[in-house]
Amino acid sequence: MDSFMLLHPVMQAFLGTLFTWGMTAFGASAVFFSKGTNDKLMDGMLAFAGGVMIAASFWSLLAPAIDMAEDSMVPGYIPAVTGFLLGGALLLLVDKMLPILNQDRFFTEIKDVKAKHRTALLVFSVTLHNIPEGLAIGVAFGALAAEFSNASLGGAVALAIGIGIQNFPEGMAVSMPLRREGMSKWKSFMYGQFSGMVEPIAAVIGAFAIILIDPLLPYALSLAAGAMIFVVAKEIIPGSQERGYVQISSICLMLGFAVMMALDVALG
């Protein structure tokens, strides 16, 4: 720990988000322990992923965005509502553009066109959600170099640890639905861990550009929340019930929400 404290805050931010990325990969590795592709289990896991995403949208993204805005004397609802609706609009645009793109290049093992589309939206939205989280960690460590009065190494480390632990179910929330659609365990894992790969990059940017990034963070967090809710409403919930396991998927969605809510509140 002493050697970590001696590092430059930008390097501390990078190492902190290597941990969060590693926890995402750890969660994604759960796919290696799944047995077969039982339809009921896989629909339940897709719904569980939806519950995780709904909870993360509020406790990991919207609530911090509102708090940050109010700390800077801006009404909390302004960035929350603005970013949230922009996030939904962004995913609506992506939703319209995906059929134009060559999805076969990335999801060759998924034959069903509708499933391929849903998979692309899921991976994109969760990856997008990790960018502002990485920025937040970068800003927390970068504030030390900028000598902000309210900045502390302990607070920045606690933020990185908290986000890292939250990333465990998020990694699983990507890899398990991909496995459900017929992707191999290895590729499902790779896409799951990839969703967290953006955090170290975003953290370094946030630490270097804290003066510019800090005022935009509430909007970025809210935008990611809107994007995730759009995907859950349009693809995750309908997809988890399309085989008729409505009761199972509803229970699993609530379990996913409860697990992520407990983690966010306990580590908040």
Side-chain angles (χ1 to χ4, degrees), residues 163-200:
I163 289 178
I165 294 173
Q166 292 163 14
N167 280 3
F168 176 81
E170 290 174 8
M172 187 188 304
V174 177
S175 65
M176 294 300 286
L178 265 59
R179 178 61 179 156
R180 169 193 183 268
E181 303 298 356
M183 190 172 285
S184 69
K185 290 183 178 182
W186 175 250
K187 284 191 176 181
S188 298
F189 165 76
M190 290 302 293
Y191 276 107
Q193 65 82 32
F194 171 78
S195 67
M197 192 184 296
V198 295
E199 289 195 356

Side-chain angles (χ1 to χ4, degrees), residues 241-261:
Q241 298 180 355
E242 65 186 6
R243 293 187 175 105
Y245 302 118
V246 177
Q247 192 172 46
I248 293 292
S249 66
S250 299
I251 292 170
C252 289
L253 184 138
M254 294 189 70
L255 286 174
F257 184 95
V259 168
M260 197 65 193
M261 175 175 62

Side-chain angles (χ1 to χ4, degrees), residues 6-26:
L6 296 174
L7 295 172
H8 189 277
V10 174
M11 181 56 68
Q12 291 173 338
F14 179 71
L15 292 176
T17 45
L18 283 183
F19 166 73
T20 64
W21 176 18
M23 288 298 291
T24 305
F26 186 35

Side-chain angles (χ1 to χ4, degrees), residues 34 42 63-64 75 78 102 123 127 162 165 177 187 201 206 211 248 261:
S34 64
M42 291 299 156
I78 292 178
N102 183 13
V123 173
T127 303
I165 294 173
K187 284 191 176 181
I201 300 169
I211 303 300
I248 293 292
M261 175 175 62

Side-chain angles (χ1 to χ4, degrees), residues 40-127:
K40 187 180 292 187
L41 172 64
M42 291 299 156
D43 283 358
M45 289 307 302
L46 182 63
F48 183 90
V52 167
M53 292 169 71
I54 294 171
S57 294
F58 178 73
W59 276 279
S60 294
L61 299 170
L62 284 174
I66 293 168
D67 290 341
M68 288 178 189
E70 290 176 343
D71 287 345
S72 60
M73 308 304 291
V74 175
Y77 65 85
I78 292 178
V81 172
T82 303
F84 186 82
L85 294 178
L86 283 175
L90 173 63
L91 259 289
L92 180 61
L93 178 63
V94 172
D95 187 43
K96 297 295 184 184
M97 290 182 63
L98 276 178
I100 303 172
L101 304 177
N102 183 13
Q103 298 172 55
D104 290 330
R105 179 180 176 186
F106 304 100
F107 306 110
T108 54
E109 294 176 75
I110 302 176
K111 304 305 179 186
D112 182 71
V113 175
K114 185 178 179 181
K116 195 172 295 187
H117 185 87
R118 176 167 59 234
T119 299
L121 274 179
L122 171 65
V123 173
F124 181 85
S125 67
V126 176
T127 303

